[in-house]
Amino acid sequence: MERHLISLVALLALCLGARAQSTLNVPSINYPTIQSAINGAASGDTVLVAAGTYIESLVFPAKDFTLQGAGAGLSIIDANQAGACISFTQAPVTNAMVIDGFSMTNGIGESTFSGATPTRAGGGIFIESNLGAIAPYISPLFRNCEIHQNSAGFAAGVYVRYGGNVRFENCRIHGNSITLPNTSALAIYGRSGATELVFVDCIVENHSTTTAAALVYLSSCAASFVRCHFKNNTVNQGIAGIYFSGNSGTIPATFAVRKCSFIGNQTTLPGASVLHFSGSFQTVLDNCLFANNVGGRLVVGFGVGTRSIRNCSFVGNQLGSNAIAGPPLGVLTFGTTTGQASDVLQVENSIFIDNTLSTGAVAESIYTAGPTGVVYTSSIVETPTNSAAIARPIFVDPINADYRLAPNSPGINAGTVVGLLPPPPVLSTTLDIAGSPRVQFGVVDMGCYEAGHISYDSSAAGRVGETMGGPFDVLQVNGSAGDVFRTVTVPLGTSSNISMIQPPNSANPAGFAIFGLLGEATEASITTVPLGIGKMTFAPC
């Protein structure tokens, strides 16, 4: 009997350990508030929050579950200036703690320190482990969220200190504000321990302050930004983008910015208008666009070390001057007077064009300080001395910030994968800033976009009837004559129908020809087609 009793107790314990995952609905009789459901949820559960505005300042315990809202703008967490919209201080929390589909607004953050001064930070999200830099860590995942119109002493949007791998996917951070003078961060702050911030497919826009050192301030941590967009931010006392310093924590200092855009940001003081890196650590910028940013003595600044700029475009930025710090330096500034002769900036497959000073004069593209060097590989780099003679890239619509290379532009099929530092991944398997394959016609293009279109000569391709009220498009691919560049996009690996139609005002049927081109063509191979059809460019098959 005793053996049976022991077996029964063991079976009961096994059943209790196999607790089924539950869904907790908010609002409901059992869970009228989000906080009550958070308190009642167990690891592995889902808290399902209906659309509505919830006047709450949420505090999360050390467990992993899914908090699922109806979507940004539908499920709204309004902290009502009582604290942070969301705060984590208890570890451990992993990426299995998912917060998805919320707007977070009207938060003022939680109490912490800016230097020796107590203040509030993290109006939208506050993460600071009570264990300090000691494991385990706090590593939640935020997805499809909006963080806006929060206010704090500093870091009004997101504050992470002594966190872990904190991830943001498809989030929009905008319109947050700070109250503390002469502080570090306006929107996002990361620091210390094993903190690693990862932003993927995020937008950071429409912030303005005169009191912060940077829009995003990262120190003693690791960070990466992938397919993120920084637009229309103004930080007139510092950097209208990202400041990143070296690491003294428990993970290597790494910083990567890939397939990101920085457009229309502005500063008035002497530093960088977009990015500034302090210290020696691994840094990669690739497939990024820096356009129409204003102010500062530079757009991007690097400290010492070996740095790589790969397939980036710097277009239409305007440098300013500062009475205290001096005149502008260069769009990209590298090294210091304490740097080593071995420090190298590698500029690969990139474009620096139409960047100016506030006077309208051509700005220096790259400025180096100290015993540093620059190695250029297959790049278009405009300087005050070569501006009149340089082969200028042709963009599709620069007025509306469309910096794709137009057909037959210098820079198409002009890049290289030979001798790059550090060795790149296989370019044919990577994507450009728009998500298109990085190599489409055998050779990588310069700049952040790959020109993957099939194009026709813009002056005449497929057009007839200039003397009969035309010209008329008579050549069609898949039923389309193309856009203003006579461009028809055909997905790779698919078949196409090429046809000719009857010209208007023609009494007789139009003549036609099936035309073949022997040998491999390039986008620059312009061929005159018989029967007066005009010029065509046959892109390679």
Side-chain angles (χ1 to χ4, degrees), residues 28 109 151 175 367 445-446 481 519 530 538:
S28 63
S151 178
Y367 172 85
D445 298 332
M446 293 183 189
F538 287 80

Side-chain angles (χ1 to χ4, degrees), residues 234-260:
T234 300
V235 181
N236 277 336
Q237 293 289 326
I239 301 162
I242 304 171
Y243 169 83
F244 184 84
S245 69
N247 181 56
S248 60
T250 59
I251 57 175
T254 58
F255 185 86
V257 180
R258 302 179 183 273
K259 305 173 185 65
C260 294

Side-chain angles (χ1 to χ4, degrees), residues 304-376:
V304 297
T306 299
R307 312 301 175 93
S308 180
I309 305 289
R310 181 177 297 127
N311 279 103
C312 291
S313 299
F314 294 78
V315 186
N317 301 286
Q318 183 185 99
L319 302 184
S321 59
N322 183 268
I324 299 175
L329 297 175
V331 174
L332 193 154
T333 296
F334 172 64
T336 67
T337 55
T338 59
Q340 304 298 314
S342 59
D343 293 339
V344 175
L345 172 66
Q346 184 82 12
V347 179
E348 306 157 353
N349 305 335
S350 294
I351 295 173
F352 293 75
I353 202 77
D354 296 333
N355 301 292
T356 65
L357 307 179
S358 58
T359 61
V362 175
E364 192 67 59
S365 289
I366 298 176
Y367 172 85
T368 60
T372 57
V374 181
V375 177
Y376 299 101

Side-chain angles (χ1 to χ4, degrees), residues 19 25 97 104-105 110 112 154 157 183 271 299 317 322 341 364 367 398 423 448 451 465 532 536:
R19 173 189 177 275
N25 291 287
M97 178 67 244
M104 306 168 204
T105 190
E110 303 297 330
T112 186
F154 73 109
T183 189
V299 175
N317 301 286
N322 183 268
E364 192 67 59
Y367 172 85
C448 58
M536 287 184 60

